[in-house]
Short mmCIF file of all heavy atoms in Angstrom, two decimals:
data_model
loop_
_atom_site.label_atom_id
_atom_site.label_comp_id
_atom_site.label_asym_id
_atom_site.label_seq_id
_atom_site.Cartn_x
_atom_site.Cartn_y
_atom_site.Cartn_z
N ILE A 1 9.23 3.66 19.15
CA ILE A 1 9.96 3.13 20.31
C ILE A 1 9.36 3.68 21.60
O ILE A 1 9.12 2.93 22.56
CB ILE A 1 11.46 3.49 20.22
CG1 ILE A 1 12.12 2.73 19.06
CG2 ILE A 1 12.17 3.17 21.53
CD1 ILE A 1 13.55 3.15 18.80
N ASN A 2 9.10 4.99 21.63
CA ASN A 2 8.53 5.60 22.83
C ASN A 2 7.12 5.10 23.11
O ASN A 2 6.68 5.06 24.27
CB ASN A 2 8.50 7.12 22.69
CG ASN A 2 9.88 7.74 22.83
OD1 ASN A 2 10.81 7.09 23.30
ND2 ASN A 2 10.01 8.98 22.43
N LEU A 3 6.41 4.70 22.06
CA LEU A 3 5.05 4.21 22.23
C LEU A 3 5.04 2.83 22.90
O LEU A 3 4.25 2.58 23.81
CB LEU A 3 4.36 4.13 20.87
CG LEU A 3 2.83 3.99 20.85
CD1 LEU A 3 2.18 5.20 21.51
CD2 LEU A 3 2.33 3.82 19.43
N PHE A 4 5.93 1.96 22.45
CA PHE A 4 5.95 0.59 22.96
C PHE A 4 6.94 0.41 24.13
O PHE A 4 6.77 -0.51 24.93
CB PHE A 4 6.30 -0.39 21.84
CG PHE A 4 5.21 -0.57 20.83
CD1 PHE A 4 5.11 0.25 19.73
CD2 PHE A 4 4.25 -1.55 21.00
CE1 PHE A 4 4.09 0.09 18.80
CE2 PHE A 4 3.23 -1.73 20.09
CZ PHE A 4 3.14 -0.90 18.98
N ALA A 5 7.96 1.25 24.19
CA ALA A 5 8.95 1.16 25.26
C ALA A 5 9.33 2.56 25.72
O ALA A 5 10.40 3.07 25.36
CB ALA A 5 10.18 0.39 24.79
N PRO A 6 8.46 3.23 26.48
CA PRO A 6 8.69 4.63 26.88
C PRO A 6 9.74 4.77 27.97
O PRO A 6 9.44 5.13 29.11
CB PRO A 6 7.31 5.08 27.36
CG PRO A 6 6.67 3.82 27.86
CD PRO A 6 7.17 2.71 26.97
N LEU A 7 10.99 4.52 27.61
CA LEU A 7 12.08 4.56 28.58
C LEU A 7 12.89 5.85 28.51
O LEU A 7 13.67 6.14 29.42
CB LEU A 7 13.02 3.36 28.37
CG LEU A 7 12.36 1.97 28.49
CD1 LEU A 7 13.36 0.89 28.10
CD2 LEU A 7 11.85 1.75 29.91
N SER A 8 12.77 6.59 27.42
CA SER A 8 13.59 7.80 27.25
C SER A 8 12.74 9.01 26.91
O SER A 8 13.09 9.81 26.05
CB SER A 8 14.64 7.57 26.16
OG SER A 8 14.01 7.23 24.93
N LEU A 9 11.59 9.14 27.58
CA LEU A 9 10.73 10.30 27.35
C LEU A 9 11.41 11.57 27.83
O LEU A 9 12.16 11.56 28.80
CB LEU A 9 9.39 10.11 28.08
CG LEU A 9 8.54 8.92 27.65
CD1 LEU A 9 7.29 8.84 28.51
CD2 LEU A 9 8.17 9.00 26.18
N SER A 10 11.14 12.67 27.14
CA SER A 10 11.77 13.95 27.48
C SER A 10 10.81 15.08 27.16
O SER A 10 9.96 14.97 26.27
CB SER A 10 13.08 14.11 26.71
OG SER A 10 13.66 15.38 26.97
N LEU A 11 10.96 16.18 27.89
CA LEU A 11 10.15 17.35 27.61
C LEU A 11 10.48 17.94 26.25
O LEU A 11 9.60 18.42 25.53
CB LEU A 11 10.36 18.41 28.71
CG LEU A 11 9.52 19.68 28.60
CD1 LEU A 11 8.04 19.36 28.76
CD2 LEU A 11 9.95 20.69 29.66
N VAL A 12 11.76 17.90 25.88
CA VAL A 12 12.21 18.39 24.58
C VAL A 12 13.17 17.35 23.98
O VAL A 12 13.75 16.53 24.69
CB VAL A 12 12.92 19.76 24.68
CG1 VAL A 12 11.95 20.84 25.08
CG2 VAL A 12 14.09 19.69 25.66
N TYR A 13 13.33 17.41 22.66
CA TYR A 13 14.23 16.51 21.95
C TYR A 13 15.18 17.32 21.08
O TYR A 13 14.78 18.31 20.45
CB TYR A 13 13.44 15.54 21.07
CG TYR A 13 12.63 14.54 21.86
CD1 TYR A 13 11.33 14.84 22.28
CD2 TYR A 13 13.15 13.29 22.20
CE1 TYR A 13 10.59 13.93 23.01
CE2 TYR A 13 12.41 12.37 22.93
CZ TYR A 13 11.12 12.70 23.33
OH TYR A 13 10.39 11.80 24.06
N SER A 14 16.43 16.90 21.03
CA SER A 14 17.43 17.60 20.23
C SER A 14 17.23 17.29 18.75
O SER A 14 16.93 16.16 18.38
CB SER A 14 18.85 17.17 20.63
OG SER A 14 19.12 17.51 21.97
N ARG A 15 17.41 18.31 17.92
CA ARG A 15 17.42 18.08 16.48
C ARG A 15 18.74 17.43 16.12
O ARG A 15 19.79 17.87 16.58
CB ARG A 15 17.25 19.40 15.72
CG ARG A 15 17.40 19.28 14.20
CD ARG A 15 17.12 20.59 13.51
NE ARG A 15 15.70 20.87 13.50
CZ ARG A 15 14.86 20.41 12.59
NH1 ARG A 15 15.32 19.63 11.61
NH2 ARG A 15 13.58 20.71 12.62
N PRO A 16 18.75 16.40 15.27
CA PRO A 16 20.00 15.74 14.88
C PRO A 16 20.99 16.73 14.28
O PRO A 16 20.61 17.59 13.49
CB PRO A 16 19.55 14.72 13.84
CG PRO A 16 18.11 14.46 14.16
CD PRO A 16 17.58 15.77 14.66
N VAL A 17 22.26 16.63 14.68
CA VAL A 17 23.29 17.53 14.15
C VAL A 17 23.59 17.18 12.69
O VAL A 17 23.68 18.04 11.83
CB VAL A 17 24.58 17.43 15.00
CG1 VAL A 17 25.67 18.31 14.42
CG2 VAL A 17 24.29 17.82 16.44
N ASN A 18 23.74 15.89 12.41
CA ASN A 18 24.02 15.43 11.05
C ASN A 18 22.75 14.86 10.43
O ASN A 18 22.20 13.88 10.91
CB ASN A 18 25.11 14.35 11.07
CG ASN A 18 26.42 14.87 11.63
OD1 ASN A 18 26.84 15.98 11.32
ND2 ASN A 18 27.06 14.08 12.48
N VAL A 19 22.28 15.51 9.36
CA VAL A 19 21.10 15.01 8.68
C VAL A 19 21.52 13.98 7.64
O VAL A 19 22.65 13.98 7.16
CB VAL A 19 20.31 16.16 8.01
CG1 VAL A 19 19.75 17.09 9.06
CG2 VAL A 19 21.20 16.94 7.05
N GLY A 20 20.62 13.10 7.28
CA GLY A 20 20.93 12.04 6.33
C GLY A 20 20.29 10.74 6.78
O GLY A 20 19.67 10.66 7.84
N MET A 21 20.46 9.71 5.98
CA MET A 21 19.86 8.41 6.26
C MET A 21 20.73 7.62 7.22
O MET A 21 21.61 6.85 6.81
CB MET A 21 19.64 7.64 4.96
CG MET A 21 18.56 8.23 4.06
SD MET A 21 16.91 8.20 4.82
CE MET A 21 16.55 6.44 4.80
N ASP A 22 20.49 7.82 8.52
CA ASP A 22 21.18 7.01 9.52
C ASP A 22 20.32 5.79 9.85
O ASP A 22 19.33 5.50 9.18
CB ASP A 22 21.48 7.84 10.77
CG ASP A 22 20.22 8.41 11.41
OD1 ASP A 22 19.10 8.11 10.93
OD2 ASP A 22 20.34 9.13 12.41
N GLY A 23 20.71 5.04 10.88
CA GLY A 23 19.98 3.84 11.23
C GLY A 23 18.53 4.10 11.60
O GLY A 23 17.63 3.34 11.21
N PHE A 24 18.29 5.19 12.35
CA PHE A 24 16.92 5.52 12.74
C PHE A 24 16.07 5.87 11.52
O PHE A 24 14.89 5.51 11.45
CB PHE A 24 16.92 6.70 13.72
CG PHE A 24 17.29 6.31 15.13
CD1 PHE A 24 18.53 6.62 15.64
CD2 PHE A 24 16.38 5.64 15.93
CE1 PHE A 24 18.88 6.27 16.94
CE2 PHE A 24 16.71 5.28 17.24
CZ PHE A 24 17.96 5.59 17.74
N ALA A 25 16.67 6.58 10.55
CA ALA A 25 15.93 6.96 9.35
C ALA A 25 15.56 5.74 8.51
O ALA A 25 14.45 5.63 8.01
CB ALA A 25 16.74 7.96 8.52
#
């Protein structure tokens, strides 16, 4: 997503609180 639509670039990224197969996974 960031490669084709770099709209939410950040210096750091939060680790997901809940691990598991969500939509992004």
Side-chain angles (χ1 to χ4, degrees):
I1 292 173
N2 286 345
L3 195 62
F4 288 89
L7 301 174
S8 58
L9 298 178
S10 177
L11 183 64
V12 293
Y13 292 87
S14 297
R15 174 175 286 275
V17 177
N18 299 318
V19 294
M21 291 297 290
D22 59 3
F24 282 105

